[in-house]
Amino acid sequence: TGWARDTQPRARGRPGMLRQTTRALAGMGGRAAGASSPGSAFAPHAAAGASWMQNRSIGKVGVPENYGQIDGVGTKFLGTPANHRELLEKRPVSPDVFDVDGKTHYQFPAVALSSITNRVTGCVLSGAVGFGGALSALGGPEALPVFVEAYKNAAPVLVFPTKLLLSFPFVFHTLGGFRHIYWDKTTVGIDNESAKTSSLALFAASGLGAAALASYTF
């Protein structure tokens, strides 16, 4: 038929290949629309074929991924660079935080840092409670106080930093929990600007509170 002749292999030049691909795709679109024969499908369903070409899913449904490509050239005629494999390996890591050179595209805002800190402090508190519980379970209720006194005598210079490292997670996580309760109950302060302000205030209050607790001597 005329359709079959149109889709016969032509010279391996660019114009012939493009005409071959376009006509074949348009004919396939006509058949999908319900045409009775390939020859009669091309003309009345050219518009449907063009629409189908725009919405097709290459390599999944419809046209094979390598359909219409020139042997030994691939998709070079469409502008694909010769080093496309090398360029693919240099694509940024998803999510797009780091560029090819390793530098960051974005800086973490205060809200993101407070959210991350809230999770980290929760893990620190869980670890501290777990350590104290395991020590008491193995050595009895007096094991934890004995361990604390032994640590203070062995490394007195580390007492204040240790208390600070334990106080900050406690204060930050507690105040952060109150902030979330307030957000949940009132839905006030969740906008970007208000959340940034409360995040900065949370860091400041936690630092001061942790320093106060670390300075206190029982």
Side-chain angles (χ1 to χ4, degrees), residues 55-165:
N55 298 323
R56 70 187 188 277
S57 179
I58 297 298
K60 299 294 184 181
V61 179
V63 184
E65 186 176 1
N66 61 345
Y67 186 87
Q69 294 187 9
I70 305 174
D71 294 341
V73 178
T75 56
K76 181 179 179 180
F77 70 97
L78 295 176
T80 302
N83 62 335
H84 66 282
R85 292 292 183 185
E86 179 183 350
L87 295 177
L88 286 176
E89 294 177 357
K90 293 182 178 180
R91 292 182 64 183
V93 180
S94 180
D96 191 9
V97 176
F98 296 99
D99 205 342
V100 176
D101 56 4
K103 297 181 180 180
T104 57
H105 286 292
Y106 313 102
Q107 294 182 354
F108 286 105
V111 179
L113 292 176
S114 68
S115 179
I116 296 172
T117 305
N118 189 56
R119 287 157 174 76
V120 173
T121 53
C123 293
V124 172
L125 291 176
S126 298
V129 172
F131 174 79
L135 190 64
S136 299
L138 295 175
E142 69 282 353
L144 185 58
V146 171
F147 172 82
V148 171
E149 292 300 325
Y151 181 81
K152 291 166 60 177
N153 295 329
V157 69
L158 296 179
V159 172
F160 180 81
T162 303
K163 293 169 66 176
L164 187 64
L165 290 176

Side-chain angles (χ1 to χ4, degrees), residues 110-111 114 179 182-183 186-202:
V111 179
S114 68
R179 182 176 66 161
Y182 178 77
W183 282 348
T186 65
T187 67
V188 175
I190 306 181
D191 60 281
N192 291 336
E193 195 60 34
S194 299
K196 177 182 178 180
T197 302
S198 64
S199 296
L200 294 175
L202 178 60

Side-chain angles (χ1 to χ4, degrees), residues 3 5 8 14 19-20 26 35 37 40 45 49 57 59-60 66 74 91 124-125 139 141 162 164 168 170 175 211:
W3 181 84
R5 287 195 299 273
Q8 290 300 317
R14 176 178 175 178
R19 287 195 297 271
Q20 169 189 344
S37 65
S40 62
H45 295 285
S57 179
K60 299 294 184 181
N66 61 345
R91 292 182 64 183
V124 172
L125 291 176
T162 303
L164 187 64
F168 181 82
F170 174 77
L175 296 180

